[in-house]
Amino acid sequence: MTRIAMREIRRRLHAHPEPGFLEFHTVGVITEQLDLLGVEYHTGTAAMDPTAIMDGPSPAEREEWGRRALERGIEPRRVETLTQEGTAIVAIIRGRRPGPVWGLRCDIDALPIAESREPDHLPWRQGFASRTPYMHACGHDGHTSIGLGVLSRLQDEDFAGELRIFFQPAEEGTRGAAPMLAAGVADDVERMLAFHLRADVPLGTVIGGVENYKATTKWRAIFTGAPAHASGAPEKGRNALLAAAHATLGIHGMPRFATTDTRVNVGTFHAAGAANIIPAEATITYEVRAEDNDAVNDMSQRADAAVEGAARMHDVQVETTLSGQAPTTTPDEEMLSLIETASAAVPAITAFSRRARLTCGSDDAHLFIRAVQRNGGIGTYLGIGAQNTEAPHHSAHFDFDEAALDVTADLLAATVREAVGPRG
């Protein structure tokens, strides 16, 4: 039985992080390991519907990151396929006895952060810090390695049912789950798991269901006006920058909800031109979040009204595009009981909480969970302690305790292996 060296794989991935839908080197490493394990897997349109991708990369970006993957030793044939067909993978392992179909989501992309080169930052000190303009500042390199580790632990097929591991691109920006679901990868999944390594939770602690991940929608608005001389003929211009500015203030000025925790943010603002030109183009990206799906839908409509109103005020055109989305879900009690039982079989787990509310953003793994729950299945999103006091998630100094890799893989394998039903 092949045993995956999760720490070594994690560090290899950490050194070469990639943005969403451009994880060519990452997928090359994953498929290389799947081939070593002899695990069945699907890529291309069997794993992701490219027509359902929101805010996908440009041809130039695909070319650049494809070149980087080639330079790192990924086979040219594989890189060519990935650039054409996408970076999602569905790995499948089947047990020797009948049982339910499990799904496990492992995200694989990185963030546009320049990693710290301070001497006290362990990845830099030990030589596996990022060599690209991106960084695994949220632990997805660990999640990917854990997915492979779970497969290696279940190679003996001594479990009931089937496990599918969804190696998902583009979690950052909540864009990767939807095109995988559109390909039908989870249509018959009955038990759905997602997890996240938590640097703010002590090593050895497991939370069966993190309850307060936020629903979100993310948008891009492009304003188009008309240029004119800012002094000689300002009345003939149509100021896209001012429209975008009023939209920004309108979004941030929206009323909040008394019944749920909410967030709004305009994250980028770009306009072209010069000081003496009425700006004819401007673009903003923005998001809304809430711990309630209905509240997010309401806030999205209000944000759209603010954008449209600002465009009318300045007599410019505006085009809004949904670039990402995720719901929030509630963990199922039956699944929490299964995980609690499995946790008792893992000696390294020293504390278990069925439910907890943590500092949380959003994650489109909840699209997988919600889809399974709507089909009558059960699911949850776990929090796994990976204590590191150096820095928080999404920081240039982020890191996690690599001992959490074995803890998590052991727990997930035990959940599938031990908690399905009696042995035949």
Side-chain angles (χ1 to χ4, degrees):
M1 186 168 71
T2 304
R3 190 73 166 182
I4 289 292
M6 288 187 291
R7 191 178 97 159
E8 287 73 14
I9 293 170
R10 180 258 166 161
R11 292 188 173 199
R12 182 177 172 188
L13 296 175
H14 191 91
H16 301 287
E18 297 162 303
F21 298 124
L22 297 168
E23 307 95 335
F24 305 135
H25 171 266
T26 302
V27 172
V29 173
I30 295 169
T31 53
E32 169 193 289
Q33 295 299 315
L34 294 175
D35 288 338
L36 289 173
L37 290 170
V39 170
E40 174 187 345
Y41 63 91
H42 303 286
T43 59
T45 56
M48 183 174 70
D49 180 353
T51 66
I53 291 176
M54 295 176 284
D55 198 23
S58 68
E61 290 172 319
R62 291 182 185 277
E63 181 179 354
E64 176 190 352
W65 289 93
R67 175 185 54 77
R68 288 175 179 267
L70 289 171
E71 291 173 352
R72 294 173 204 138
I74 304 302
E75 297 176 354
R77 175 181 54 83
R78 183 160 283 172
V79 172
E80 181 180 3
T81 300
L82 292 171
T83 57
Q84 294 174 352
E85 298 183 359
T87 51
I89 308 172
V90 180
I92 302 171
I93 191 166
R94 297 179 180 88
R96 294 198 296 262
R97 303 180 301 280
V101 178
W102 290 76
L104 172 64
R105 198 294 305 270
C106 299
D107 38 10
I108 67 175
D109 60 322
L111 287 155
I113 294 174
E115 185 160 12
S116 170
R117 296 188 174 190
E118 295 294 325
D120 61 345
H121 182 54
L122 187 142
W124 175 254
R125 189 170 68 247
Q126 297 197 4
F128 65 95
S130 172
R131 300 169 194 172
T132 82
Y134 280 68
M135 177 188 172
H136 275 298
C138 205
H140 296 186
D141 50 341
H143 301 169
T144 303
S145 304
I146 287 165
L148 294 168
V150 172
L151 291 170
S152 74
R153 283 158 169 75
L154 295 176
Q155 277 182 287
D156 59 7
E157 301 175 350
D158 186 18
F159 65 96
E162 174 183 309
L163 171 64
R164 298 178 193 167
I165 297 191
F166 305 126
F167 291 100
Q168 179 203 312
E171 185 281 323
E172 301 296 350
T174 59
R175 298 176 294 147
M180 292 191 74
L181 286 165
V185 300
D187 284 355
D188 56 347
V189 170
E190 300 162 83
R191 294 178 174 177
M192 185 68 213
L193 298 170
F195 70 96
H196 208 297
L197 296 175
R198 302 281 313 203
D200 55 346
V201 173
L203 181 69
T205 297
V206 169
I207 299 161
V210 180
E211 295 187 290
N212 60 319
Y213 271 91
K214 294 176 176 61
T216 186
T217 57
K218 303 180 190 300
W219 303 85
R220 173 177 285 103
I222 300 175
F223 298 85
T224 305
H229 196 290
S231 177
E235 75 284 358
K236 295 182 179 179
R238 297 294 181 265
N239 198 314
L241 185 152
L242 286 180
H246 275 99
T248 297
L249 295 175
I251 291 167
H252 277 277
M254 291 192 305
R256 305 301 190 264
F257 280 69
T259 55
T260 185
D261 189 25
T262 61
R263 300 284 190 277
V264 299
N265 189 55
V266 177
T268 65
F269 189 126
H270 299 284
N276 61 347
I277 301 171
I278 299 295
E281 296 180 6
T283 300
I284 60 172
T285 59
Y286 59 97
E287 66 173 14
V288 298
R289 304 192 199 215
E291 292 181 17
D292 178 271
N293 292 317
D294 291 337
V296 157
N297 292 335
D298 184 281
M299 293 171 67
S300 296
Q301 294 174 12
R302 292 171 185 252
D304 188 63
V307 170
E308 292 287 345
R312 287 195 300 272
M313 180 191 306
H314 292 277
D315 193 20
V316 303
Q317 301 298 311
V318 65
E319 178 181 356
T320 57
T321 303
L322 180 66
S323 59
Q325 62 180 333
T328 186
T329 61
T330 300
D332 292 292
E333 285 296 329
E334 181 182 353
M335 184 67 87
L336 298 181
S337 295
L338 294 174
I339 295 168
E340 186 170 17
T341 299
S343 295
V346 180
I349 296 175
T350 55
F352 178 82
S353 298
R354 286 178 72 90
R355 298 170 180 266
R357 295 175 63 83
L358 303 174
T359 302
C360 284
S362 305
D363 193 320
D364 59 353
H366 290 278
L367 285 171
F368 283 107
I369 296 170
R370 184 174 67 171
V372 170
Q373 290 175 330
R374 285 180 169 177
N375 287 334
I378 57 176
T380 191
Y381 195 113
L382 296 91
I384 310 293
Q387 182 69 57
N388 188 292
T389 58
E390 184 180 351
H393 293 255
H394 292 213
S395 160
H397 288 79
F398 174 80
D399 195 20
F400 62 85
D401 191 326
E402 291 176 325
L405 300 174
D406 280 312
V407 174
T408 311
D410 288 344
L411 170 63
L412 295 171
T415 301
V416 174
R417 191 190 297 277
E418 303 293 343
V420 175
R423 298 179 184 274

